Amino acid sequence: MKHLVCFGFGFSAQALAARLARQGWEITGTSRTSQGAERIRRLGYEAAVFEGEQASDEVRAALTSATHALISTPPGEGGDPVLIQHGADLASAPNLEWAGYFSTVGVYGDHGGAWVDEATPATPLSQRSKRRVAAENAWLELDTPGARRIQVFRLPGIYGPGRSAIDQIKSGRARRIVKPGQVFNRTHVEDIAGVVEAAIIRGGKHNIYNVSDDEPAPPQDVIAYAAGLLGVPAPPEIPFEDADLSPMARSFYAELKRVRNDLIKSDLGVELQYPTYREGLAAIAAASG
């Protein structure tokens, strides 16, 4: 039986787990707390507690039968906690065929609106993106015996049911922040799951993939489109300078790039279910009633 161990069991990992579970895979997800592990079990999966500061016997037990591993936990100042605590266990896991690491398109830094692809050198600006580059390199250099594959998936902003501009409009939290010329790529959570599933099944010739949509777009346009789908007025525009953003949110606006996704199509044979925010938001609106 195929067995996927997910280090971190958030939005994207759960979308992949649901797909693979329907195909008969065993799924184990980790949580930092016993309460979180119990929530994973209530979803119908196995669970292990891994808080990141020390190795977990439950994780070690899961890795004895794991055929695949997905890492979606962020690195800390001292490095990637999964590699620090369980790198040796992963390297020696007897049945492991594949490991995938969720990174971010933030590793490219700022390109003044130019297009970037997987061949573009990583020039991160923020400390969190610099830590991501270091973690990517450490994963790709993991010394594993045999013909094991390790692949990195660079993600932009993630949205999906319950976590989208549709939900922001409905809750009254949506804001149309305008910084002239600013665009972002984004990707639907089901497209992330589809790309990773394709990488697992088809292999692919590369070890880094951008998992983004086809159309980088101004964030205020996305909010306005969501409002239109719901038949309500769009929130008023707020100039970026007046938005009172958190330091982290402001740092995203300090970078401007357009992310190419050609490789997931040519190498993995992926056809995006939601190639732009329009298809994704329309599906969410239709499902939410």
Side-chain angles (χ1 to χ4, degrees):
M1 177 184 291
K2 298 296 187 182
H3 179 191
L4 174 69
V5 174
C6 298
F7 288 88
F9 206 63
F11 198 41
S12 301
Q14 288 183 43
L16 176 65
R19 284 181 177 234
L20 298 181
R22 289 193 292 268
Q23 301 172 37
W25 285 52
E26 180 181 353
I27 306 294
T28 300
T30 75
S31 175
R32 294 179 64 88
T33 66
S34 57
Q35 294 87 348
E38 184 55 36
R39 285 192 290 271
I40 294 171
R41 294 186 186 99
R42 287 198 294 269
L43 293 172
Y45 307 118
E46 298 298 318
V49 176
F50 174 57
E51 42 76 35
E53 298 299 324
Q54 59 186 10
S56 163
D57 289 339
E58 293 178 348
V59 167
R60 285 200 173 111
L63 289 176
T64 61
S65 62
T67 57
H68 297 72
L70 177 69
I71 298 85
S72 60
T73 52
E77 291 184 6
D80 186 286
V82 178
L83 276 177
I84 292 169
Q85 304 299 341
H86 288 290
D89 299 319
L90 283 156
S92 62
N95 301 298
L96 194 68
E97 303 170 11
W98 175 93
Y101 179 72
F102 279 164
S103 186
T104 169
V105 297
V107 300
Y108 294 114
D110 178 40
H111 286 265
W115 288 93
V116 299
D117 62 20
E118 291 85 350
T120 303
T123 53
L125 296 180
S126 69
Q127 283 301 122
R128 67 178 180 278
S129 292
K130 291 176 182 178
R131 289 195 290 267
R132 285 288 187 183
V133 172
E136 285 185 3
N137 291 335
W139 277 104
L140 293 173
E141 293 166 2
L142 182 65
D143 184 17
T144 61
R148 297 179 180 174
R149 288 182 294 128
I150 298 175
Q151 294 175 310
V152 170
F153 304 92
R154 291 174 173 168
L155 310 179
I158 303 167
Y159 74 102
R163 192 181 298 187
S164 73
I166 296 292
D167 303 282
Q168 292 171 6
I169 292 286
K170 285 186 170 184
S171 68
R173 296 179 291 110
R175 297 200 298 167
R176 293 181 69 208
I177 299 171
V178 179
K179 183 180 181 184
Q182 184 71 49
V183 295
F184 295 110
N185 282 87
R186 52 197 51 78
T187 190
H188 194 287
V189 68
E190 287 298 332
D191 280 326
I192 296 173
V195 169
V196 178
E197 181 184 27
I200 289 172
I201 293 172
R202 298 171 191 163
K205 300 174 184 177
H206 297 267
N207 56 15
I208 296 177
Y209 296 93
N210 292 333
V211 187
S212 67
D213 62 357
D214 290 345
E215 183 181 326
Q220 67 270 20
D221 291 3
V222 177
I223 296 294
Y225 189 77
L229 289 171
L230 295 173
V232 301
E237 292 187 350
I238 303 173
F240 172 74
E241 295 76 12
D242 301 332
D244 192 27
L245 294 171
S246 69
M248 177 175 286
R250 187 169 288 273
S251 71
F252 292 124
Y253 281 83
E255 300 178 6
L256 178 58
K257 54 186 164 287
R258 291 170 167 84
V259 181
R260 293 195 188 279
N261 61 9
D262 298 356
L263 204 57
I264 60 172
K265 301 172 183 177
S266 63
D267 192 51
L268 298 178
V270 169
E271 181 176 346
L272 293 175
Q273 189 173 353
Y274 304 106
T276 79
Y277 68 88
R278 298 178 190 86
E279 294 87 358
L281 293 180
I284 294 168
S288 63

